[in-house]
Amino acid sequence: MSNILQFIVDETRQILLQKGETVTDITLETEFLTDLPMDSLDLATLIVSLEMHTGLDPFRSGFKTFYNVGQLVELYESIEN
Amino acid sequence: MPLMKHVIVSGGSKGLGLGIVKSLLQNGYHVSTCSRTKTNAMTELEDIYSCFQWFPCQIGDAQQTADFVKSACEWAQDVPLWAVINNAGVAKEGVLASFPNLESDDLLQVNLNGALYLAREVLRVFLRQNSAGRIVNISSIIGTRGYTGLAAYSASKAGLDGLTRALARENGRRNITVNSIAPGYLDTEMSSTLSDNKRQQIIRRTPMHRLGSVDDITPAVTFLLSDGAAFITGQTITIDGGITN
């Protein structure tokens, strides 16, 4: 599992735990807003945490569409490489 | 005993912003503020209060705003960010038909985009902290009532009230409240350009028969930051001596 993927999975679990939600299964295909009990502010929290962790902001140049974990991982890995 | 709460005030080096900074310090908050240039008042307050810090920042510049919030939070160390007062603003007068686009662009960049950029950075801190928080936008009665020669200013302040209502809806579930304070005509540097005729006209039309002072506004700011205001959000509090009544 890549570092980014591991961070996204751990951070997502942490954000949900703070809401009193426990999620066991998060895969590359998991969609944030439909498969998980997340709302848009939870997703914003994840993005802020990712920026702090990686120092990268793939959204600096504008909106980027992503729905699932794999697509978010790809956004960060495409900047890193 | 200082409160363990950090408040950021934009444009706190003079006028209403300076009054807000002083009032928050007197109420025990840790306060950081910014402006383009450092005034003597900022140096004096830094000498008196260890829980106060000034930073240079051009509000309206997104990168400078991000850097300012980062530096201010680093300065505050383990005192969590509790609130931002979006106070920085400029006023430029002239009928729109002859008002240079460059001037209205600059005004909107500071008064509206500047507040939006600062709110964005502060909201990101609140999310990181997983904390409640307060945002207070200093708008103006000019935003709702308009004033001849202040079209761009009026638009910027009306925009601020819209920003307040939208952010209140967006962030309420995180216990982050967002409110506007709309002062009437204040006796500050910003109103010093009013002609004596206009000034007297405003005073005549104001039920309280005077211009407002900074001290008329600051208690509302401290109230909105208090526990008693936890359920107030998306509102505009008008403080104008009754002129818009």
Side-chain angles (χ1 to χ4, degrees):
Chain A
M1 192 184 274
S2 74
N3 281 342
I4 298 278
L5 174 58
Q6 187 65 59
F7 184 84
I8 290 172
V9 169
D10 292 346
E11 197 63 19
T12 301
R13 280 190 211 285
Q14 186 60 31
I15 289 165
L16 292 174
L17 199 62
Q18 281 167 355
K19 293 176 76 175
E21 305 275 359
T22 310
V23 176
T24 51
D25 204 23
I26 299 177
T27 68
L28 286 170
E29 287 73 39
T30 302
E31 295 199 358
F32 291 103
L33 298 179
T34 52
D35 298 335
L36 299 172
M38 285 182 93
D39 61 24
S40 50
L41 273 183
D42 297 326
L43 203 50
T45 306
L46 176 62
I47 300 302
V48 170
S49 299
L50 270 164
E51 188 182 337
M52 286 195 68
H53 178 70
T54 62
L56 303 171
D57 179 9
F59 307 96
R60 189 174 293 273
S61 55
F63 284 121
K64 302 274 195 314
T65 306
F66 70 93
Y67 299 99
N68 63 33
V69 172
Q71 289 165 336
L72 186 59
V73 170
E74 205 174 301
L75 275 179
Y76 283 86
E77 289 186 340
S78 65
I79 303 186
E80 249 185 349
N81 299 325
Chain B
M1 179 76 177
L3 294 171
M4 289 301 281
K5 287 181 173 177
H6 171 208
V7 181
I8 288 176
V9 181
S10 68
S13 65
K14 60 183 180 181
L16 177 58
L18 176 59
I20 292 169
V21 165
K22 285 179 176 173
S23 165
L24 293 172
L25 288 169
Q26 284 158 8
N27 280 276
Y29 290 97
H30 286 67
V31 180
S32 57
T33 191
C34 69
S35 55
R36 277 171 298 180
T37 51
K38 193 172 193 177
T39 58
N40 289 339
M42 297 293 92
T43 308
E44 285 166 16
L45 286 178
E46 281 177 347
D47 290 343
I48 298 168
Y49 294 96
S50 60
C51 55
F52 171 72
Q53 186 66 44
W54 173 88
F55 294 89
C57 175
Q58 169 66 61
I59 289 294
D61 180 305
Q63 188 57 52
Q64 285 193 36
T65 304
D67 293 344
F68 161 54
V69 171
K70 186 167 182 281
S71 301
C73 290
E74 283 169 2
W75 163 78
Q77 295 182 342
D78 55 344
V79 179
L81 185 61
W82 170 240
V84 64
I85 316 299
N86 256 319
N87 165 77
V90 291
K92 297 175 183 182
E93 198 174 354
V95 292
L96 189 61
S98 59
F99 203 77
N101 289 337
L102 192 66
E103 297 292 344
S104 53
D105 286 350
D106 284 351
L107 187 149
L108 289 163
Q109 191 61 27
V110 173
N111 291 13
L112 186 53
N113 278 339
L116 194 142
Y117 297 157
L118 185 54
R120 176 183 187 271
E121 294 306 322
V122 164
L123 283 165
R124 290 163 74 90
V125 176
F126 290 157
L127 291 179
R128 276 205 308 272
Q129 291 178 168
N130 192 28
S131 69
R134 305 284 164 89
I135 296 177
V136 178
N137 294 322
I138 304 297
S139 65
S140 166
I141 58 166
I142 308 276
T144 47
R145 302 297 287 241
Y147 197 87
T148 298
L150 293 177
Y153 182 80
S154 176
S156 73
K157 294 301 186 180
L160 261 188
D161 289 338
L163 178 69
T164 292
R165 289 190 289 271
L167 289 182
R169 288 187 182 280
E170 202 168 285
N171 296 281
R173 59 187 181 273
R174 292 292 178 95
N175 288 317
I176 297 165
T177 70
V178 189
N179 292 288
S180 287
I181 291 175
Y185 301 96
L186 300 185
D187 205 358
T188 63
E189 292 98 320
M190 215 182 248
S191 62
S192 63
T193 54
L194 284 174
S195 68
D196 198 45
N197 212 16
K198 271 188 180 172
R199 179 179 287 258
Q200 290 309 319
Q201 187 187 54
I202 290 166
I203 290 171
R204 271 199 312 277
R205 289 178 180 175
T206 303
M208 303 298 290
H209 279 284
R210 63 175 175 85
L211 294 181
S213 73
V214 167
D215 292 340
D216 290 318
I217 309 302
T218 54
V221 176
T222 46
F223 168 66
L224 286 173
L225 267 50
S226 71
D227 292 344
F231 200 53
I232 300 171
T233 195
Q235 305 303 310
T236 299
I237 299 176
T238 301
I239 306 171
D240 66 350
I243 195 169
T244 57
N245 204 353

